[in-house]
Amino acid sequence: MAKGLGKGLNALFPGEPLDKTEKVEMLQLNQLRVNPYQPRKLFDEEALQELAESIKEHGILQPIVVRESGEQFEIVVGERRYRAAQLLKLKELPAIVKQLTDQQMMELAILENLQREDLTPIEEAEAYHKLMDALNLTQEQLAFRLGKSRPHIANHLRLLALPEAIRTLISEKKLTMGHGRALLGLKKKKMMDELAEKTVREGLNVRQLESLIQRLNENVPRETITAKKDIFVQEKESELRDYFGTSVQIKKTKNKGKIEIEFFSEEDLERILDLLN
């Protein structure tokens, strides 16, 4: 993921920037609790340890953002700093207390995570989905506000159609986003989990998986495959798959051919037609 949001927090919250002039106060760690709307599920322990070492040497360079919740404070932005402070057994943290609704709290937590580089593709997809729901945005509107391409947003969102077991494999970095998108092109959906396991077990790359899926979709046994597509056609198919975020096949004869673009629903068809315009 590209570093940072293309247009910053103000693009999504024109009236809710993080005001650097707001009062910073010290809060006890035992007064803090994690954000119930935190989209991040995995925290890299090694990265947290590195952050803790940095804090130990330089201190907390930026206060966390919290909101009051009874006698405690819920962390809106800065959970990694809080976890690193726990590792160091610090007693308190600098914080800015903001008055936020549940929706604003969720949105700011998502945005903070999207500005980081180490979100998994699944976490990024879930963050996009939550923002679209919370702000009632289309894919195109979200892409514009975040300074990203619509295919980038669409390709991530399509990963959410994968079975949970495969999403977990992607989150654990056993499969890549490319593997996930290739698996979505499998016609026999019941075989998806089995094929994902085979991919991990045999260390198949994306191109090998795509080739296997193509054979399965055409129901052609491996041993009957004699002719392979030339490298040019394979490269163009790969480029089109990246652009449309779905399975694309170029079928070429001597003087003519056709391009087949797969879609899975009316909404998916509309998405592809928009990309063709």
Side-chain angles (χ1 to χ4, degrees), residues 128-145:
Y128 291 149
H129 186 264
K130 287 179 180 178
L131 274 177
M132 288 173 63
D133 278 354
L135 299 178
N136 194 27
L137 298 174
T138 64
Q139 290 183 16
E140 186 172 1
Q141 290 169 331
L142 182 65
F144 176 77
R145 292 196 182 196

Side-chain angles (χ1 to χ4, degrees), residues 1 3 5 23 30 40 42 45 52 103 123 132-133 165-166 169-170 182 184 196 213 223 254 264:
M1 174 177 177
K3 186 175 182 180
L5 292 175
K23 180 182 176 182
N30 58 18
R40 183 182 296 275
L42 302 173
E45 293 300 325
Q103 179 173 309
E123 288 173 330
M132 288 173 63
D133 278 354
I166 297 177
L169 289 173
I170 294 174
L184 285 168
I213 288 172
E223 56 271 15
K254 185 175 181 181
F264 301 94

Side-chain angles (χ1 to χ4, degrees), residues 97-109:
V97 181
K98 293 182 71 73
Q99 300 299 317
L100 299 170
T101 65
D102 285 353
Q103 179 173 309
Q104 288 172 320
M105 185 173 179
M106 177 191 72
E107 291 162 0
L108 285 173

